[in-house]
């Protein structure tokens, strides 16, 4: 298990949404999106905020438009509003994924396994009902899909997701 996973786990255990986070969220999300967002467990909210901040600074460094992608980043794990996982469950899933080389994916009858592998699709289906454009939905759906390459925005989202 790499060091960043340990850090990620530690941060998830102590995560809090502070005033700066609230201001950041208000800058990029509409009221109905905030209502959706706050249904995520706190540690997932914090993860999404960190990914979105990373997207913002990486876009700035690379002189790319960031507003759209920041919103995608904030909502990329929204499928997890249906998750009952806590940070420990999540860490167990990461470990199981790594030691079984992904073969645990075949045990989708298990709620946590299903959520771990399918939250992109779940988020896609949820956001589709709100009328997001196809590109937005595509990015949410495929943020863990390693079969899609050479998509600059998707790659940036994955890169920032992995760093946080
Ligand atoms: Fe995700």
């Amino acid at each position: 298990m790499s060091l960043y996973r340990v850090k990620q786990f530690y941060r998830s255990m102590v995560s809090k949404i502070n005033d700066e986070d609230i201001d950041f969220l208000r800058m990029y999300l509409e009221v109905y999106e905030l209502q959706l967002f706050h249904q995520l467990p706190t540690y997932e909210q914090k993860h999404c905020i960190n990914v979105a901040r990373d997207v913002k600074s990486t876009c700035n460094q690379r002189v790319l438009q960031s507003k759209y992608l920041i919103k995608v980043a904030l909502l990329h794990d929204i499928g997890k509003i249906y998750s009952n996982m806590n940070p420990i469950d999540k860490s167990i899933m990461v470990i199981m994924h790594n030691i079984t080389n992904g073969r645990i994916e075949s045990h989708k009858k298990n709620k946590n396994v299903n959520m771990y592998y399918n939250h992109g699709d779940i988020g896609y289906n949820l956001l589709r009902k709100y009328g997001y454009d196809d590109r937005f939905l595509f990015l949410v759906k495929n943020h863990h899909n390693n079969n899609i390459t050479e998509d600059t925005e998707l790659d940036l989202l994955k890169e920032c997701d992995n760093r946080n």
Side-chain angles (χ1 to χ4, degrees):
M1 197 148 104
S2 58
L3 187 61
Y4 92 88
R5 284 289 180 197
V6 178
K7 280 190 198 156
Q8 188 183 44
F9 176 73
Y10 174 74
R11 268 186 289 165
S12 69
M13 295 300 285
V14 297
S15 59
K16 281 198 184 77
I17 306 297
N18 58 38
D19 290 349
E20 255 174 84
D21 294 333
I22 297 286
D23 289 344
F24 184 77
L25 289 171
R26 286 203 185 128
M27 217 160 15
Y28 295 100
L29 298 182
E30 309 289 327
V31 173
Y32 77 95
E33 292 170 324
L34 283 169
Q35 279 166 355
L36 267 181
F37 186 83
H38 289 305
Q39 291 176 51
L40 285 168
T42 307
Y43 76 98
E44 295 290 5
Q45 291 184 34
K46 196 71 180 185
H47 163 71
C48 293
I49 292 165
N50 291 335
V51 174
R53 284 219 171 91
D54 197 357
V55 163
K56 188 177 184 176
S57 63
T58 310
C59 281
N60 288 346
Q61 283 162 24
R62 297 177 193 173
V63 203
L64 299 167
Q65 291 283 4
S66 63
K67 204 169 176 199
Y68 184 81
L69 218 50
I70 290 168
K71 195 193 270 272
V72 174
L74 285 173
L75 298 176
H76 79 286
D77 273 341
I78 203 68
K80 292 185 177 174
I81 64 173
Y82 303 114
S83 167
N84 295 315
M85 276 198 262
N86 59 41
I88 294 171
D89 296 330
K90 193 184 174 184
S91 297
I92 291 170
M93 273 309 309
V94 172
I95 293 164
M96 292 301 282
H97 172 78
N98 288 331
I99 64 179
T100 67
N101 238 322
R103 283 188 300 272
I104 192 159
E105 188 173 358
S106 58
H107 296 268
K108 277 190 182 154
K109 276 186 191 152
N110 178 288
K111 255 189 350 267
N112 290 352
V113 175
N114 183 53
M115 187 50 71
Y116 185 79
Y117 290 103
N118 285 345
H119 65 269
D121 288 291
I122 297 166
Y124 165 88
N125 284 315
L126 173 71
L127 294 179
R128 214 163 43 139
K129 295 175 196 149
Y130 290 86
Y132 289 86
D133 64 70
D134 289 346
R135 179 67 181 156
F136 196 101
L137 297 172
F138 170 87
L139 292 168
V140 169
K141 183 180 178 134
N142 292 297
H143 75 270
H144 290 297
N145 187 341
N146 291 325
N147 296 320
I148 300 170
T149 54
E150 290 174 48
D151 180 321
T152 316
E153 289 178 322
L154 186 62
D155 288 345
L156 198 146
L157 179 62
K158 287 177 184 170
E159 183 187 325
C160 296
D161 192 14
N162 288 331
R163 270 201 297 260
N164 293 278

